[in-house]
Amino acid sequence: MKAYFAGGCFWCVTPIYKMYGVDKVVCGYSGGDEQNPSYEDVKAQKTGHRETIMLEYDPEKVSYDKLLDIFLANVDPFDADGQFIDKGFSYTLAVYYTTEEEKLKAYTKISKLEADSGRKVQIALEKFKSFYEAEEYHQDYYLKNPEAFEKELIESGRKKG
C-alpha cells in the first residue's frame, strides 16, 4: 500500500519511517497542478506543490494509523508557515488521502489533537491527485550525505546539537 504525507523538508522525515518498518520512502512533490515540477520551482513556491514523501508499506507490518501517529509526532502541527526553519507553502503540512477510510482516520486524529491542545492544527487534509518523484540526489539523502544531513537536522531545530 501507499501513503502520502507532506511533513516539511522531505530529507528530514524520510529516515523516521524506515525505522518503523516502512518498505520504501520516496521523496517527491504533491498537491500542485503543474506536471513534473522541479525542486527549484517547488522550493521557490512557484508550483503549488508541497515536499511530500510517498510511503510503500505492508499493513501487516505497520498500520496506516501508526503511520499517522509517526507523522504527527515528528512535525509541528500548529505551524501554518512551514516546518522549523523551512518556511513557505511547499513546507506546509498535508495528509493526502487515497481512500475515504484514510481521510476519516486522519480527520479523527487531527480533531483529537485539536481538542486535546485547544489549538488549531495546520495540516491540510486533501484528496491525493498526483505524486512526482524528486530528483535522484534527494532520495535517501541521509544515507548519501550523513554529515550534511546531521547538520540540517540541528540547524533546522529538529534535533538538539
Side-chain angles (χ1 to χ4, degrees):
M1 298 193 71
K2 294 181 180 177
Y4 303 88
F5 300 123
C9 172
F10 47 33
W11 293 347
C12 295
V13 293
T14 296
I16 297 160
Y17 289 95
K18 295 226 176 165
M19 293 184 332
Y20 287 93
V22 171
D23 296 328
K24 186 175 182 182
V25 182
V26 179
C27 293
Y29 316 108
S30 284
D33 293 322
E34 183 177 316
Q35 293 184 1
N36 299 310
S38 71
Y39 176 69
E40 290 74 23
D41 286 344
V42 172
K43 186 173 181 162
Q45 316 304 319
K46 294 180 179 178
T47 69
H49 291 85
R50 291 180 179 96
E51 287 194 14
T52 301
I53 54 172
M54 177 187 69
L55 309 173
E56 290 184 12
Y57 70 100
D58 179 348
E60 297 293 319
K61 293 180 187 172
V62 59
S63 68
Y64 188 76
D65 278 315
K66 179 66 174 175
L67 296 177
L68 286 168
D69 290 342
I70 296 165
F71 173 73
L72 292 171
N74 287 282
V75 298
D76 176 355
F78 307 109
D79 189 343
D81 299 321
Q83 288 293 286
F84 303 92
I85 64 168
D86 296 312
K87 299 300 180 189
F89 181 81
S90 66
Y91 296 109
T92 60
L93 303 175
V95 173
Y96 296 105
Y97 62 89
T98 60
T99 67
E100 289 301 310
E101 181 181 10
E102 287 179 358
K103 179 182 178 182
L104 180 59
K105 286 179 179 192
Y107 176 80
T108 300
K109 287 188 182 286
I110 290 168
S111 296
K112 181 175 182 344
L113 182 56
E114 287 183 337
D116 290 349
S117 69
R119 298 171 68 191
K120 174 76 175 127
V121 169
Q122 302 296 322
I123 300 173
L125 185 55
E126 298 180 9
K127 185 166 180 53
F128 175 76
K129 295 191 288 190
S130 59
F131 178 82
Y132 298 97
E133 192 169 320
E135 297 80 353
E136 180 56 35
Y137 71 93
H138 294 296
Q139 308 307 327
D140 293 322
Y141 184 83
Y142 71 104
L143 294 174
K144 295 174 186 173
N145 304 284
E147 288 154 7
F149 175 71
E150 183 74 11
K151 184 178 178 195
E152 174 79 16
L153 287 179
I154 293 166
E155 289 179 356
S156 74
R158 288 180 182 260
K159 181 178 179 181
K160 301 247 187 279

